[in-house]
Amino acid sequence: MRIVRFLYQGHISWGVVENNVIAVLKRHPFGKLQFSGARIAFSKVELFPPASPSKIILIGLNYRDHAREFGMDVPLEPVIFLKPPSALIAHQENIIYPRGVKRLDYEAELALVIKKEGRFIKENDASDYILGYSCLNDVTARDMQKKDGQWTRAKSFDTFCPFGPWLETKLQPGDLSIASYLNGERKQFSTTSDLIFSVPFLVAYISRVMTLLPGDIISTGTPAGIGKMKNRDIIEVEIEGIGRLWNQVVADTKH
């Protein structure tokens, strides 16, 4: 099923999409789903990111083709980094191109949302802790990443984490096509079978470092083909079984 978080008549709610209609939930989906009985046309709502995380955990260099692209060795362990929740934006929201950034890149990724609190999760039990999957764009100020030698500033600007449009709960993540499109032209294409570290392994590995909480996002890395964006570009992330995440880049005119 497709779970959405949305704004309607001034209220943020959760719901399940059923044939262009949203069946509204009484409360968040981190537990047994309870329906309110209300139904709203999908076209009448504004989508929000389908998570409200305490943290956004991402994995660097997790596709074999991406490692080959940069002439790098396959890592022996996952490389973990974080984005702040303030970077999160929804499907169809704008990515702000900050002043002072000279190169802004897209990175298409498969991401998941944690369903319940977990620490020292066993790899075989990882699926019990996953609510659903969605598309994520790990927007990166590439020039700042190279300048700083670490990734926090380059990946943490507001709007640098487009996520959505919804969570797909019935998905097997082991062999899904993943692509990005810049102004309609395909730039990245791979499958999650090329992941170096699988989804269950990542959930277990990360939970040995930090407690995972309901709503936390884990993003699994990007395949080869990353590239730059400019003002007014439209960037889309498409993942098999989920759909497309659409965002436009706009220049920062406020600061």
Side-chain angles (χ1 to χ4, degrees), residues 151-220:
W151 303 353
T152 302
R153 180 170 66 135
K155 291 176 175 287
S156 296
F157 283 87
D158 289 356
T159 77
F160 272 25
C161 192
F163 179 60
W166 42 62
L167 296 180
E168 179 56 62
T169 63
K170 303 295 184 182
L171 199 68
Q172 296 298 320
D175 189 15
L176 303 172
S177 63
I178 177 170
S180 64
Y181 295 83
L182 185 67
N183 301 320
E185 180 182 353
R186 192 171 78 180
K187 294 295 187 178
Q188 292 178 279
F189 183 76
S190 189
T191 69
T192 56
S193 62
D194 196 47
L195 284 170
I196 297 166
F197 303 106
S198 70
V199 167
F201 180 89
L202 290 174
V203 172
Y205 182 89
I206 294 167
S207 76
R208 296 200 297 270
V209 178
M210 63 190 80
T211 300
L212 296 173
L213 300 174
D216 284 351
I217 297 171
I218 296 176
S219 199
T220 59

Side-chain angles (χ1 to χ4, degrees), residues 49-63:
S52 184
S54 72
K55 50 192 172 290
I56 305 168
I57 308 143
L58 299 95
I59 306 299
L61 201 67
N62 195 31
Y63 278 82

Side-chain angles (χ1 to χ4, degrees), residues 94-105 139-144 153-160 229-231 249-255:
N94 290 333
I95 299 166
I96 306 301
Y97 200 130
R99 292 178 183 269
V101 171
K102 295 180 171 55
R103 174 164 172 161
L104 191 68
D105 281 12
V139 178
T140 303
R142 192 69 65 198
D143 56 314
M144 290 185 175
R153 180 170 66 135
K155 291 176 175 287
S156 296
F157 283 87
D158 289 356
T159 77
F160 272 25
M229 303 180 290
K230 62 182 186 301
N231 185 36
V249 178
V250 300
D252 185 355
T253 59
K254 296 181 180 180
H255 304 97

Side-chain angles (χ1 to χ4, degrees), residues 32 121 193:
K32 184 178 180 180
I121 299 167
S193 62

Side-chain angles (χ1 to χ4, degrees), residues 65-66 69-70 106 180 187-189 222-228:
D65 62 359
H66 188 40
E69 177 182 36
F70 284 91
Y106 55 81
S180 64
K187 294 295 187 178
Q188 292 178 279
F189 183 76
T222 195
I226 61 173
K228 63 182 178 180

Side-chain angles (χ1 to χ4, degrees), residues 66-77:
H66 188 40
R68 289 193 297 270
E69 177 182 36
F70 284 91
M72 300 176 70
D73 294 333
V74 172
L76 298 179
E77 291 184 294

